[in-house]
Amino acid sequence: MTQQTETFEQSQERDRKERANHTAEALKKFREVFKLLGYKPIEPKENNNWNIQLLGINGREMIWLSTGEYRDKGRIWVRGDYPRKHDIYPNNRAEISISFEKTPLQIGNDITRRFLPLYQVQLNEVQEKIDARDSYNSEIEKVATEIKGKKLTE
């Protein structure tokens, strides 16, 4: 009995199909999780590798679900995103990983129980720092406007 080996082209085609199936399965699961959590999924422009990502938004909360890199196959990474102002971020951003084999309901429960409490605290802290920086900058601008045109003496 002879064993037929796979050609390079066949290997590439098999890999392409695996990635397409993986992408479809991951995005379907991510959409279901976001629906259960009440987040609006923001569809990606492109997802063509093993690291599939989908952003979900609920008010000011922004959560990324990702399958990670190829070495993380079988895991879903949950990460929070923060307002992009003044480059203010928490030192250790909230992040958890969950088995890809879990159901959307189980994943949603893990996110609610393990991720959201820390993320929401961090999000509030970041917003407070942004508000404080904005207030400080407003005061500086106010003072600068008041002294503009006045002759300064020592």
Side-chain angles (χ1 to χ4, degrees):
M1 177 159 92
T2 60
Q3 186 175 8
Q4 187 172 7
T5 58
E6 188 176 54
T7 66
F8 177 75
E9 290 79 13
Q10 289 169 329
S11 171
Q12 291 293 97
E13 180 61 19
R14 182 181 44 76
D15 186 54
R16 188 196 62 72
K17 286 179 182 177
E18 281 180 19
R19 287 178 186 220
N21 289 339
H22 175 69
T23 298
E25 181 183 6
L27 289 175
K28 180 181 180 209
K29 188 172 280 195
F30 292 173
R31 288 182 193 110
E32 290 175 24
V33 169
F34 281 143
K35 184 177 181 180
L36 289 168
L37 293 174
Y39 284 71
K40 178 185 177 196
I42 305 301
E43 294 300 326
K45 292 181 182 175
E46 185 176 327
N47 265 318
N48 63 357
N49 56 28
W50 287 108
N51 185 16
I52 311 306
Q53 296 185 355
L54 189 63
L55 174 66
I57 297 179
N58 184 2
R60 66 187 185 119
E61 294 178 2
M62 297 178 286
I63 298 176
W64 285 98
L65 297 182
S66 156
T67 57
E69 300 297 328
Y70 185 78
R71 69 183 182 284
D72 296 324
K73 198 171 178 184
R75 305 296 299 166
I76 295 172
W77 290 93
V78 182
R79 296 177 177 96
D81 208 348
Y82 303 86
R84 297 176 188 270
K85 190 170 186 183
H86 305 306
D87 292 328
I88 297 173
Y89 302 102
N91 291 336
N92 296 310
R93 295 182 185 193
E95 172 182 276
I96 63 170
S97 76
I98 302 168
S99 170
F100 191 83
E101 300 306 314
K102 288 189 173 186
T103 68
L105 181 59
Q106 291 171 318
I107 294 167
N109 287 339
D110 277 356
I111 290 171
T112 300
R113 182 177 49 83
R114 296 175 41 217
F115 174 78
L116 285 178
L118 177 59
Y119 171 66
Q120 290 167 339
V121 166
Q122 288 180 342
L123 186 60
N124 288 334
E125 290 171 353
V126 166
Q127 190 60 56
E128 287 171 9
K129 289 177 183 178
I130 287 172
D131 293 345
R133 178 80 55 91
D134 286 346
S135 176
Y136 173 79
N137 288 344
S138 292
E139 284 298 313
I140 296 295
E141 288 177 23
K142 181 179 171 186
V143 170
T145 300
E146 289 174 5
I147 63 173
K148 188 175 184 181
K150 293 184 181 180
K151 188 173 184 177
L152 299 178
T153 59
E154 288 185 37

